[in-house]
Amino acid sequence: MSRTRHPVRWTALGGILALAVAALVSLMLGIVRLNPAETFTALFTPEHADIQAATVIWSIRLPRIVVAALVGAALAVVGTVMQAILRNPLAEPGITGVSAGAAVGAVAGITLGFSGTHQWGIPLAAFAGAATVALVLLGVLRTRRDLGPGTIILVGVSISALAGALISVLIANAKDDSLVRSAMFWLAGDLELRSWDHVLLATGPIVIGLTILATRVRALDALALGEQIAATSGVNVARERTVLLLVAALVTGAAVAVSGIISFVGLVVPHFLRLLVGASHARLLPLAALGGALFLIVADTVARTAFGSVVVQTGVVAALVGAPVFLALLLQRSRA
């Protein structure tokens, strides 16, 4: 037992330290560069800091970092959960089409004017879209038990293509150009101009959803071994799959509502952590939340600082890392 806990403890401590360093570096870097002393002063005693530095930290960079941490944690945990439910190591919100469904809901909410009438209009619409896709995946699992795990990925690709077509129709029929510009954000996957309002919108659903998922680690361990083993272990397979997929849809919808579609976070982070701490979800879920937050903060910092005057979205940087990993895993499964 001590040998198992040892790598988990050090992985967690290392992740927390890396997360703190990544957040500090992200606070310092940008068009207005700050040194560590200026950053700490503006962060902890803003009344004694330079006005510009305090404004940059508290109004621009810190809310963006918090949103990145929330979204990264959400996507990494949901990816871990989906890989267990679908018994496919390639599953994650972007690849299975759940993020695309959330984006359809968000774009529909924007183009139909929900964003101007109700604060929770866009998140609720995103959740509805994600939940619809999750229920489709659940229906496929229930009606075609003979299908292999890889088929779910093909279903996700089909759903993503359909979602893209629906988004094109919604954008083409938007009432004015401002709605089109707002809707295009959801396709880019970026954290530009994130504010404390976005933090408020995302925190509740993501924290509640991740807490519920954390209480289902025993069911996740059983489902990852197969339906028959889960059933003989006393797990109600149908109920647990439904609950887990709907909660995953809630978390994904909240994440997409404030960041747009960012893929591959839920693919890269869980696979890296399994190499370090094994497959137990009691260890994987909290570390996935930590690793996802770290991954997306770093990706967002790179996106806004490493390319000079070239505009690069956060989702692009995540894809530059995730796409090769996805291809490597796919080729590895093909050889197996």
Side-chain angles (χ1 to χ4, degrees), residues 109-180:
I110 291 171
T111 56
L112 296 176
F114 292 169
S115 58
T117 59
H118 197 283
Q119 183 185 24
W120 294 95
I122 301 303
L124 289 174
F127 166 66
T132 299
V133 174
L135 291 174
V136 169
L137 294 175
L138 183 64
V140 171
L141 288 172
R142 286 184 174 180
T143 58
R144 294 296 303 275
R145 297 177 184 272
D146 58 317
L147 296 178
T151 306
I152 296 297
I153 302 300
L154 298 178
V155 173
V157 171
S158 301
I159 291 172
S160 295
L162 175 61
L166 293 175
I167 288 172
S168 297
V169 171
L170 289 167
I171 291 176
N173 290 276
K175 295 179 181 179
D176 56 64
D177 291 341
S178 64
L179 295 178
V180 173

Side-chain angles (χ1 to χ4, degrees), residues 260-277:
I261 299 178
I262 298 179
S263 298
F264 297 112
V265 178
L267 179 72
V268 174
V269 174
H271 279 282
F272 176 74
L273 289 172
R274 285 191 186 95
L275 296 175
L276 296 178
V277 300

Side-chain angles (χ1 to χ4, degrees), residues 25-38:
V25 171
S26 186
L27 285 172
M28 294 168 56
L29 296 181
I31 296 176
V32 177
R33 297 211 169 211
L34 304 174
N35 61 44
E38 291 172 325

Side-chain angles (χ1 to χ4, degrees), residues 199-217:
V199 173
L200 179 62
L201 284 174
T203 299
I206 288 177
V207 170
I208 292 172
L210 296 187
T211 301
I212 294 173
L213 293 176
T215 66
R216 293 294 202 276
V217 292

Side-chain angles (χ1 to χ4, degrees), residues 24-94:
L24 176 62
V25 171
S26 186
L27 285 172
M28 294 168 56
L29 296 181
I31 296 176
V32 177
R33 297 211 169 211
L34 304 174
N35 61 44
E38 291 172 325
T39 302
F40 277 108
T41 301
L43 185 61
F44 296 108
T45 56
E47 66 276 7
H48 301 302
D50 177 76
I51 295 178
Q52 183 187 46
T55 301
V56 167
I57 292 291
W58 282 98
S59 299
I60 300 174
R61 293 180 187 170
L62 188 57
R64 181 168 179 159
I65 291 169
V66 175
V67 170
L70 286 169
V71 172
L75 296 177
V77 170
V78 169
T80 307
V81 169
M82 285 188 169
Q83 288 159 21
I85 297 172
L86 305 179
R87 296 191 63 212
N88 191 319
L90 303 179
E92 68 104 30

Side-chain angles (χ1 to χ4, degrees), residues 212-227:
I212 294 173
L213 293 176
T215 66
R216 293 294 202 276
V217 292
R218 177 178 171 273
L220 286 169
D221 285 340
L223 288 170
L225 298 175
E227 289 187 20

